[in-house]
Amino acid sequence: MGKRVLVIGQGGREHALIWKLKQSPGIDKLYAAPGNPGIAALAECIDIKAEQVEQLLLWAKQNDIDFTVVGPEIPLMEGIVDQFAAAGLRIFGPSAAAAQLEGSKIFAKNLFKKYRIPTARFEVFNDLKEARAYAYELMQKGKPVVIKADGLAAGKGVVIANAWQEADQALKSMMEDKSFGAAGERVIIEEFLSGEEVSFFAVSDGKDFVPLIAAQDHKQVFDDDKGPNTGGMGSYVKPPVFTGALEAEVIEKIIKPVIAAMQAEGCSYKGVLYAGLMITDEGPKVLEFNARFGDPETQVVMPMIKGDLLPILEASVDGELKNCQAEIEAGNCVCVVLASGGYPGSYDKGQTIEGLENLADDTIVFHAGTSLNDGKLYTNGGRVLAVVCRGADIKAARDKVYSEIEKVKFAGMHYRTDIAGKALRRG
Ligand code: AMP
Ligand code: GLY
């Protein structure tokens, strides 16, 4: 009999996971909690939020769910994997202890240091005066300084200070005014790394792993990486900066040692390893690890995985990845996010979305922030849709995405026009 699979989350990332799992022959029935209108076309949506771990567990037990996939980080930190596993349910993702790799930057940085995994030099502070003195000293070298709140801060806990005043203000805001609550009681001050950023994805079962693929996110809201940071405005796979030799180096110097380190520390890591890397002149260095798939990287990673995703996720849970492989499609894939007017600041909701019916059959649209009312689709979030196209190479995929986007409209819609631009410039 086919399996009953639950995916937790409601964004474009989860839509992409469900789109991929929908193609798994072993799955009989797909559920999403809470899902979104795009997901609802592929899976039955259950009205329980991703953070409501107890309700999710109860529902999964009552509904004979065979396998659960967790999209966002919050339920992982809350221990959803531990709770499901204790109840005898199979669930893909790290335990709460292992998810500290994302949840506590200090845990992660200390691990990198102890196991000699390449990362930016850093110091940890819980005293404002000492933190200020160290930041001041670092800035005398004429380089920016990077200040990070220890805990989760919804992507806003990192400040790159170019001037002393900015550094001073960031430290006071985190440590004195507690602008991120407890997440900012301890801070990391680290050296600034320059280079190109790459997101590399692998799946681990605690001891072995399967490499997936590398992608590049575009965090700033405007072209040429200008403007404030967002959840991610677009992505593409196989960034040219990430050569085969670099991938091999990242696997040897970063992925394998992190898996071994987590095992040695007594918190074996099962789930997705999302390495946020900076490709510096001195080689690849880790900026951070995330304990989940990336958003919007997943929207381009899923269409590039050949064959069935489910056996890889199951082998991670069962500790059987040793003989597993993920085959990657030829060509490329580009994703452009369509955002609401004003995003990442305050934005309108409820604008009518038009034109999706005119898109080519092979264009994929993942929903991030939409609502459905009387059969009509409306905007319902900052990031609204991700339009995704494949192509023989980056240029073909990108040209196709941008010509498809011209068919889609909603009031206030904006998007970056230079997704994958760095790749084409490298040429
Ligand atoms: P993190 O959450 O640690 O990945 O930081 C968020 C973003 O801040 C990263 O994606 C980088 O763009 C930037 N960043 C973090 N640490 C550094 C660093 N040491 N040097 C330069 N940029 C950094
Ligand atoms: N792409 C950024 C993130 O998922 O955190």
Side-chain angles (χ1 to χ4, degrees), residues 130-160:
E130 287 172 20
R132 289 178 78 230
Y134 182 74
Y136 188 81
E137 184 194 312
L138 267 191
M139 295 200 83
Q140 299 314 303
K141 296 181 186 153
K143 282 217 274 178
V145 62
V146 184
I147 298 169
K148 300 184 175 184
D150 175 41
L152 283 185
K156 300 190 177 76
V158 176
V159 173
I160 296 175

Side-chain angles (χ1 to χ4, degrees), residues 7 103 218 375 403:
V7 175
H218 296 67
S403 76

Side-chain angles (χ1 to χ4, degrees), residues 13 73 102 155 199 201 216-219 230-235 274 288 290 292-298 383:
R13 165 182 52 207
E73 62 274 21
E102 170 169 2
S199 309
F201 298 91
Q216 207 164 43
D217 189 4
H218 296 67
K219 289 188 169 133
T230 68
M233 294 297 287
S235 55
Y274 162 172
E288 63 168 351
N290 292 315
R292 50 169 174 87
F293 280 108
D295 189 343
E297 291 97 325
T298 308
R383 291 190 294 172

Side-chain angles (χ1 to χ4, degrees), residues 205-253:
D205 67 1
K207 1 177 248 301
D208 296 302
F209 69 99
V210 166
L212 296 179
I213 192 170
Q216 207 164 43
D217 189 4
H218 296 67
K219 289 188 169 133
Q220 293 87 354
V221 67
F222 300 128
D223 285 3
D224 297 322
D225 296 340
K226 299 261 165 58
N229 270 356
T230 68
M233 294 297 287
S235 55
Y236 68 101
V237 292
K238 305 181 185 170
V241 66
F242 201 65
T243 58
L246 265 176
E247 177 170 331
E249 190 178 347
V250 165
I251 285 175
E252 288 309 316
K253 292 192 179 154

